[in-house]
mmCIF file of all heavy atoms in Angstrom:
data_model
loop_
_atom_site.group_PDB
_atom_site.id
_atom_site.type_symbol
_atom_site.label_atom_id
_atom_site.label_comp_id
_atom_site.label_asym_id
_atom_site.label_seq_id
_atom_site.Cartn_x
_atom_site.Cartn_y
_atom_site.Cartn_z
ATOM 1 N N VAL A 216 15.827 -14.519 1.789
ATOM 2 C CA VAL A 216 14.862 -13.433 1.879
ATOM 3 C C VAL A 216 15.615 -12.136 2.176
ATOM 4 O O VAL A 216 16.398 -12.070 3.127
ATOM 5 C CB VAL A 216 13.823 -13.703 2.986
ATOM 6 C CG1 VAL A 216 12.945 -12.471 3.216
ATOM 7 C CG2 VAL A 216 12.973 -14.908 2.621
ATOM 8 N N TYR A 217 15.382 -11.122 1.360
ATOM 9 C CA TYR A 217 15.948 -9.794 1.569
ATOM 10 C C TYR A 217 14.832 -8.857 2.035
ATOM 11 O O TYR A 217 13.727 -8.856 1.471
ATOM 12 C CB TYR A 217 16.536 -9.242 0.279
ATOM 13 C CG TYR A 217 17.931 -9.736 -0.047
ATOM 14 C CD1 TYR A 217 18.139 -11.042 -0.472
ATOM 15 C CD2 TYR A 217 19.040 -8.891 0.056
ATOM 16 C CE1 TYR A 217 19.415 -11.504 -0.790
ATOM 17 C CE2 TYR A 217 20.319 -9.339 -0.255
ATOM 18 C CZ TYR A 217 20.496 -10.650 -0.679
ATOM 19 O OH TYR A 217 21.756 -11.098 -0.986
ATOM 20 N N CYS A 218 15.119 -8.047 3.037
ATOM 21 C CA CYS A 218 14.148 -7.071 3.524
ATOM 22 C C CYS A 218 14.886 -5.898 4.139
ATOM 23 O O CYS A 218 16.114 -5.899 4.245
ATOM 24 C CB CYS A 218 13.195 -7.708 4.537
ATOM 25 S SG CYS A 218 14.006 -8.365 6.011
ATOM 26 N N GLN A 219 14.133 -4.883 4.545
ATOM 27 C CA GLN A 219 14.724 -3.726 5.214
ATOM 28 C C GLN A 219 15.182 -4.115 6.620
ATOM 29 O O GLN A 219 14.609 -5.014 7.251
ATOM 30 C CB GLN A 219 13.715 -2.593 5.298
ATOM 31 C CG GLN A 219 13.407 -1.943 3.959
ATOM 32 C CD GLN A 219 14.555 -1.085 3.465
ATOM 33 O OE1 GLN A 219 14.882 -0.066 4.050
ATOM 34 N NE2 GLN A 219 15.194 -1.522 2.391
ATOM 35 N N PRO A 220 16.211 -3.438 7.145
ATOM 36 C CA PRO A 220 16.720 -3.765 8.486
ATOM 37 C C PRO A 220 15.683 -3.479 9.569
ATOM 38 O O PRO A 220 14.780 -2.661 9.381
ATOM 39 C CB PRO A 220 17.931 -2.835 8.645
ATOM 40 C CG PRO A 220 18.278 -2.380 7.266
ATOM 41 C CD PRO A 220 16.997 -2.371 6.491
ATOM 42 N N PRO A 221 15.805 -4.162 10.716
ATOM 43 C CA PRO A 221 14.959 -3.816 11.866
ATOM 44 C C PRO A 221 15.143 -2.348 12.235
ATOM 45 O O PRO A 221 16.247 -1.797 12.112
ATOM 46 C CB PRO A 221 15.479 -4.736 12.984
ATOM 47 C CG PRO A 221 16.124 -5.874 12.258
ATOM 48 C CD PRO A 221 16.722 -5.288 11.014
ATOM 49 N N ARG A 222 14.060 -1.733 12.689
ATOM 50 C CA ARG A 222 14.120 -0.315 13.066
ATOM 51 C C ARG A 222 13.425 -0.107 14.404
ATOM 52 O O ARG A 222 12.541 -0.875 14.783
ATOM 53 C CB ARG A 222 13.462 0.543 11.988
ATOM 54 C CG ARG A 222 14.276 0.564 10.694
ATOM 55 C CD ARG A 222 13.807 1.681 9.766
ATOM 56 N NE ARG A 222 14.776 1.867 8.694
ATOM 57 C CZ ARG A 222 14.761 1.226 7.529
ATOM 58 N NH1 ARG A 222 13.811 0.336 7.299
ATOM 59 N NH2 ARG A 222 15.665 1.458 6.603
ATOM 60 N N PRO A 223 13.812 0.954 15.128
ATOM 61 C CA PRO A 223 13.201 1.217 16.429
ATOM 62 C C PRO A 223 11.693 1.405 16.306
ATOM 63 O O PRO A 223 11.213 2.078 15.391
ATOM 64 C CB PRO A 223 13.878 2.515 16.894
ATOM 65 C CG PRO A 223 15.160 2.574 16.133
ATOM 66 C CD PRO A 223 14.870 1.941 14.808
ATOM 67 N N ALA A 224 10.949 0.790 17.222
ATOM 68 C CA ALA A 224 9.492 0.900 17.197
ATOM 69 C C ALA A 224 8.951 0.701 18.598
ATOM 70 O O ALA A 224 9.620 0.160 19.477
ATOM 71 C CB ALA A 224 8.893 -0.141 16.239
ATOM 72 N N GLY A 225 7.716 1.142 18.818
ATOM 73 C CA GLY A 225 7.076 0.968 20.118
ATOM 74 C C GLY A 225 7.563 1.972 21.141
ATOM 75 O O GLY A 225 8.438 2.805 20.886
ATOM 76 N N ARG A 226 7.013 1.876 22.332
ATOM 77 C CA ARG A 226 7.357 2.840 23.383
ATOM 78 C C ARG A 226 8.816 2.758 23.797
ATOM 79 O O ARG A 226 9.442 3.747 24.119
ATOM 80 C CB ARG A 226 6.456 2.617 24.597
ATOM 81 C CG ARG A 226 4.996 2.961 24.339
ATOM 82 C CD ARG A 226 4.159 2.842 25.594
ATOM 83 N NE ARG A 226 2.773 3.238 25.361
ATOM 84 C CZ ARG A 226 1.841 3.225 26.296
ATOM 85 N NH1 ARG A 226 2.136 2.814 27.527
ATOM 86 N NH2 ARG A 226 0.605 3.612 26.009
ATOM 87 N N GLY A 227 9.357 1.540 23.783
ATOM 88 C CA GLY A 227 10.746 1.382 24.184
ATOM 89 C C GLY A 227 11.741 1.686 23.091
ATOM 90 O O GLY A 227 12.950 1.692 23.325
ATOM 91 N N LYS A 228 11.242 1.934 21.872
ATOM 92 C CA LYS A 228 12.096 2.229 20.725
ATOM 93 C C LYS A 228 13.154 1.151 20.513
ATOM 94 O O LYS A 228 14.296 1.439 20.152
ATOM 95 C CB LYS A 228 12.756 3.602 20.893
ATOM 96 C CG LYS A 228 11.772 4.767 20.899
ATOM 97 C CD LYS A 228 10.991 4.850 19.587
ATOM 98 C CE LYS A 228 10.006 6.022 19.581
ATOM 99 N NZ LYS A 228 9.198 6.056 18.337
ATOM 100 N N LYS A 229 12.763 -0.093 20.748
ATOM 101 C CA LYS A 229 13.680 -1.197 20.491
ATOM 102 C C LYS A 229 13.572 -1.606 19.024
ATOM 103 O O LYS A 229 12.517 -1.467 18.396
ATOM 104 C CB LYS A 229 13.332 -2.392 21.384
ATOM 105 C CG LYS A 229 13.546 -2.133 22.877
ATOM 106 C CD LYS A 229 13.224 -3.378 23.692
ATOM 107 C CE LYS A 229 13.466 -3.136 25.178
ATOM 108 N NZ LYS A 229 13.137 -4.342 26.002
ATOM 109 N N ASP A 230 14.677 -2.110 18.480
ATOM 110 C CA ASP A 230 14.663 -2.553 17.094
ATOM 111 C C ASP A 230 13.639 -3.661 16.902
ATOM 112 O O ASP A 230 13.623 -4.643 17.649
ATOM 113 C CB ASP A 230 16.050 -3.059 16.686
ATOM 114 C CG ASP A 230 17.000 -1.909 16.366
ATOM 115 O OD1 ASP A 230 16.547 -0.752 16.342
ATOM 116 O OD2 ASP A 230 18.192 -2.174 16.136
ATOM 117 N N ARG A 231 12.790 -3.487 15.903
ATOM 118 C CA ARG A 231 11.742 -4.467 15.621
ATOM 119 C C ARG A 231 11.904 -4.963 14.188
ATOM 120 O O ARG A 231 12.012 -4.156 13.261
ATOM 121 C CB ARG A 231 10.362 -3.845 15.795
ATOM 122 C CG ARG A 231 9.201 -4.801 15.492
ATOM 123 C CD ARG A 231 7.867 -4.096 15.664
ATOM 124 N NE ARG A 231 7.658 -3.649 17.032
ATOM 125 C CZ ARG A 231 6.639 -2.885 17.419
ATOM 126 N NH1 ARG A 231 5.765 -2.462 16.521
ATOM 127 N NH2 ARG A 231 6.511 -2.524 18.685
ATOM 128 N N PRO A 232 11.953 -6.279 13.980
ATOM 129 C CA PRO A 232 12.064 -6.789 12.615
ATOM 130 C C PRO A 232 10.827 -6.449 11.799
ATOM 131 O O PRO A 232 9.720 -6.313 12.337
ATOM 132 C CB PRO A 232 12.211 -8.300 12.808
ATOM 133 C CG PRO A 232 11.621 -8.580 14.151
ATOM 134 C CD PRO A 232 11.891 -7.360 14.978
ATOM 135 N N THR A 233 11.000 -6.304 10.497
ATOM 136 C CA THR A 233 9.878 -6.015 9.612
ATOM 137 C C THR A 233 8.947 -7.227 9.531
ATOM 138 O O THR A 233 9.339 -8.343 9.901
ATOM 139 C CB THR A 233 10.391 -5.688 8.202
ATOM 140 O OG1 THR A 233 11.004 -6.858 7.652
ATOM 141 C CG2 THR A 233 11.404 -4.549 8.243
ATOM 142 N N PRO A 234 7.717 -7.035 9.062
ATOM 143 C CA PRO A 234 6.805 -8.180 8.939
ATOM 144 C C PRO A 234 7.375 -9.328 8.110
ATOM 145 O O PRO A 234 7.209 -10.501 8.471
ATOM 146 C CB PRO A 234 5.572 -7.568 8.287
ATOM 147 C CG PRO A 234 5.568 -6.154 8.781
ATOM 148 C CD PRO A 234 7.008 -5.754 8.806
ATOM 149 N N VAL A 235 8.047 -9.032 7.006
ATOM 150 C CA VAL A 235 8.636 -10.096 6.190
ATOM 151 C C VAL A 235 9.754 -10.801 6.948
ATOM 152 O O VAL A 235 9.862 -12.037 6.913
ATOM 153 C CB VAL A 235 9.150 -9.526 4.854
ATOM 154 C CG1 VAL A 235 10.109 -10.506 4.178
ATOM 155 C CG2 VAL A 235 7.976 -9.225 3.923
ATOM 156 N N HIS A 236 10.588 -10.038 7.627
ATOM 157 C CA HIS A 236 11.679 -10.622 8.417
ATOM 158 C C HIS A 236 11.121 -11.604 9.449
ATOM 159 O O HIS A 236 11.586 -12.756 9.558
ATOM 160 C CB HIS A 236 12.450 -9.494 9.106
ATOM 161 C CG HIS A 236 13.701 -9.927 9.797
ATOM 162 N ND1 HIS A 236 14.706 -9.035 10.119
ATOM 163 C CD2 HIS A 236 14.126 -11.131 10.249
ATOM 164 C CE1 HIS A 236 15.691 -9.695 10.725
ATOM 165 N NE2 HIS A 236 15.348 -10.954 10.826
ATOM 166 N N ALA A 237 10.108 -11.159 10.173
ATOM 167 C CA ALA A 237 9.530 -12.010 11.222
ATOM 168 C C ALA A 237 8.930 -13.284 10.637
ATOM 169 O O ALA A 237 9.127 -14.390 11.163
ATOM 170 C CB ALA A 237 8.472 -11.221 11.997
ATOM 171 N N ARG A 238 8.207 -13.154 9.527
ATOM 172 C CA ARG A 238 7.571 -14.338 8.939
ATOM 173 C C ARG A 238 8.609 -15.286 8.345
ATOM 174 O O ARG A 238 8.471 -16.515 8.447
ATOM 175 C CB ARG A 238 6.568 -13.912 7.865
ATOM 176 C CG ARG A 238 5.770 -15.075 7.288
ATOM 177 C CD ARG A 238 4.886 -15.703 8.357
ATOM 178 N NE ARG A 238 4.110 -16.831 7.837
ATOM 179 C CZ ARG A 238 4.143 -18.059 8.347
ATOM 180 N NH1 ARG A 238 4.930 -18.349 9.384
ATOM 181 N NH2 ARG A 238 3.393 -19.022 7.835
ATOM 182 N N ALA A 239 9.636 -14.732 7.727
ATOM 183 C CA ALA A 239 10.692 -15.561 7.151
ATOM 184 C C ALA A 239 11.391 -16.385 8.229
ATOM 185 O O ALA A 239 11.710 -17.562 8.035
ATOM 186 C CB ALA A 239 11.689 -14.693 6.400
ATOM 187 N N GLN A 240 11.627 -15.774 9.375
ATOM 188 C CA GLN A 240 12.251 -16.507 10.480
ATOM 189 C C GLN A 240 11.353 -17.638 10.952
ATOM 190 O O GLN A 240 11.830 -18.740 11.244
ATOM 191 C CB GLN A 240 12.567 -15.543 11.621
ATOM 192 C CG GLN A 240 13.758 -14.629 11.344
ATOM 193 C CD GLN A 240 14.123 -13.775 12.535
ATOM 194 O OE1 GLN A 240 13.253 -13.265 13.241
ATOM 195 N NE2 GLN A 240 15.413 -13.600 12.781
ATOM 196 N N GLU A 241 10.038 -17.374 11.021
ATOM 197 C CA GLU A 241 9.097 -18.427 11.419
ATOM 198 C C GLU A 241 9.128 -19.600 10.432
ATOM 199 O O GLU A 241 8.933 -20.751 10.821
ATOM 200 C CB GLU A 241 7.683 -17.857 11.498
ATOM 201 C CG GLU A 241 7.470 -16.871 12.636
ATOM 202 C CD GLU A 241 6.123 -16.195 12.574
ATOM 203 O OE1 GLU A 241 5.386 -16.384 11.576
ATOM 204 O OE2 GLU A 241 5.779 -15.455 13.512
ATOM 205 N N LEU A 242 9.393 -19.283 9.168
ATOM 206 C CA LEU A 242 9.438 -20.319 8.132
ATOM 207 C C LEU A 242 10.815 -20.975 8.013
ATOM 208 O O LEU A 242 11.013 -21.861 7.180
ATOM 209 C CB LEU A 242 9.047 -19.708 6.775
ATOM 210 C CG LEU A 242 7.592 -19.232 6.653
ATOM 211 C CD1 LEU A 242 7.401 -18.396 5.390
ATOM 212 C CD2 LEU A 242 6.639 -20.422 6.648
ATOM 213 N N GLY A 243 11.746 -20.520 8.843
ATOM 214 C CA GLY A 243 13.083 -21.101 8.838
ATOM 215 C C GLY A 243 13.927 -20.706 7.640
ATOM 216 O O GLY A 243 14.828 -21.448 7.232
ATOM 217 N N LEU A 244 13.691 -19.517 7.093
ATOM 218 C CA LEU A 244 14.408 -19.063 5.908
ATOM 219 C C LEU A 244 15.548 -18.118 6.274
ATOM 220 O O LEU A 244 15.461 -17.373 7.254
ATOM 221 C CB LEU A 244 13.436 -18.335 4.961
ATOM 222 C CG LEU A 244 12.227 -19.149 4.498
ATOM 223 C CD1 LEU A 244 11.262 -18.260 3.733
ATOM 224 C CD2 LEU A 244 12.663 -20.339 3.649
ATOM 225 N N GLU A 245 16.593 -18.133 5.477
ATOM 226 C CA GLU A 245 17.702 -17.200 5.677
ATOM 227 C C GLU A 245 17.232 -15.790 5.333
ATOM 228 O O GLU A 245 16.548 -15.574 4.335
ATOM 229 C CB GLU A 245 18.884 -17.569 4.786
ATOM 230 C CG GLU A 245 20.077 -16.617 4.942
ATOM 231 C CD GLU A 245 21.214 -16.891 3.963
ATOM 232 O OE1 GLU A 245 21.160 -17.920 3.255
ATOM 233 O OE2 GLU A 245 22.144 -16.068 3.914
ATOM 234 N N VAL A 246 17.628 -14.833 6.183
ATOM 235 C CA VAL A 246 17.216 -13.441 5.989
ATOM 236 C C VAL A 246 18.454 -12.551 5.921
ATOM 237 O O VAL A 246 19.370 -12.680 6.725
ATOM 238 C CB VAL A 246 16.304 -12.953 7.144
ATOM 239 C CG1 VAL A 246 15.919 -11.491 6.938
ATOM 240 C CG2 VAL A 246 15.057 -13.822 7.245
ATOM 241 N N ARG A 247 18.453 -11.649 4.965
ATOM 242 C CA ARG A 247 19.488 -10.622 4.871
ATOM 243 C C ARG A 247 18.813 -9.264 4.802
ATOM 244 O O ARG A 247 17.763 -9.115 4.174
ATOM 245 C CB ARG A 247 20.349 -10.826 3.614
ATOM 246 C CG ARG A 247 21.131 -12.133 3.587
ATOM 247 C CD ARG A 247 21.912 -12.276 2.284
ATOM 248 N NE ARG A 247 22.599 -13.568 2.204
ATOM 249 C CZ ARG A 247 23.264 -13.992 1.139
ATOM 250 N NH1 ARG A 247 23.338 -13.211 0.054
ATOM 251 N NH2 ARG A 247 23.860 -15.179 1.146
ATOM 252 N N HIS A 248 19.415 -8.280 5.448
ATOM 253 C CA HIS A 248 18.834 -6.925 5.400
ATOM 254 C C HIS A 248 19.919 -5.874 5.227
ATOM 255 O O HIS A 248 20.159 -5.043 6.105
ATOM 256 C CB HIS A 248 17.982 -6.642 6.647
ATOM 257 C CG HIS A 248 18.562 -7.120 7.934
ATOM 258 N ND1 HIS A 248 19.630 -6.499 8.552
ATOM 259 C CD2 HIS A 248 18.221 -8.163 8.729
ATOM 260 C CE1 HIS A 248 19.907 -7.134 9.672
ATOM 261 N NE2 HIS A 248 19.079 -8.151 9.798
ATOM 262 N N PRO A 249 20.592 -5.871 4.080
ATOM 263 C CA PRO A 249 21.613 -4.851 3.820
ATOM 264 C C PRO A 249 20.990 -3.467 3.719
ATOM 265 O O PRO A 249 19.835 -3.322 3.289
ATOM 266 C CB PRO A 249 22.204 -5.283 2.474
ATOM 267 C CG PRO A 249 21.104 -6.045 1.813
ATOM 268 C CD PRO A 249 20.381 -6.760 2.918
ATOM 269 N N VAL A 250 21.747 -2.454 4.111
ATOM 270 C CA VAL A 250 21.249 -1.078 3.988
ATOM 271 C C VAL A 250 21.362 -0.582 2.552
ATOM 272 O O VAL A 250 20.747 0.414 2.175
ATOM 273 C CB VAL A 250 22.000 -0.126 4.938
ATOM 274 C CG1 VAL A 250 21.733 -0.499 6.382
ATOM 275 C CG2 VAL A 250 23.503 -0.144 4.651
ATOM 276 N N SER A 251 22.158 -1.276 1.733
ATOM 277 C CA SER A 251 22.323 -0.910 0.332
ATOM 278 C C SER A 251 22.762 -2.146 -0.453
ATOM 279 O O SER A 251 23.362 -3.069 0.107
ATOM 280 C CB SER A 251 23.366 0.204 0.179
ATOM 281 O OG SER A 251 23.671 0.426 -1.182
ATOM 282 N N LEU A 252 22.456 -2.116 -1.748
ATOM 283 C CA LEU A 252 22.920 -3.177 -2.644
ATOM 284 C C LEU A 252 23.876 -2.622 -3.699
ATOM 285 O O LEU A 252 24.145 -3.269 -4.710
ATOM 286 C CB LEU A 252 21.726 -3.843 -3.330
ATOM 287 C CG LEU A 252 20.839 -4.702 -2.424
ATOM 288 C CD1 LEU A 252 19.555 -5.072 -3.147
ATOM 289 C CD2 LEU A 252 21.573 -5.949 -1.973
#
Side-chain angles (χ1 to χ4, degrees):
V216 172
Y217 278 72
C218 61
Q219 290 287 293
R222 291 194 167 89
R226 293 185 177 180
K228 295 299 180 183
K229 294 182 179 179
D230 281 353
R231 179 181 298 173
T233 66
V235 164
H236 188 161
R238 185 65 180 124
Q240 286 185 320
E241 291 172 353
L242 293 168
L244 302 172
E245 179 186 352
V246 178
R247 297 178 184 175
H248 42 74
V250 296
S251 171
L252 290 169

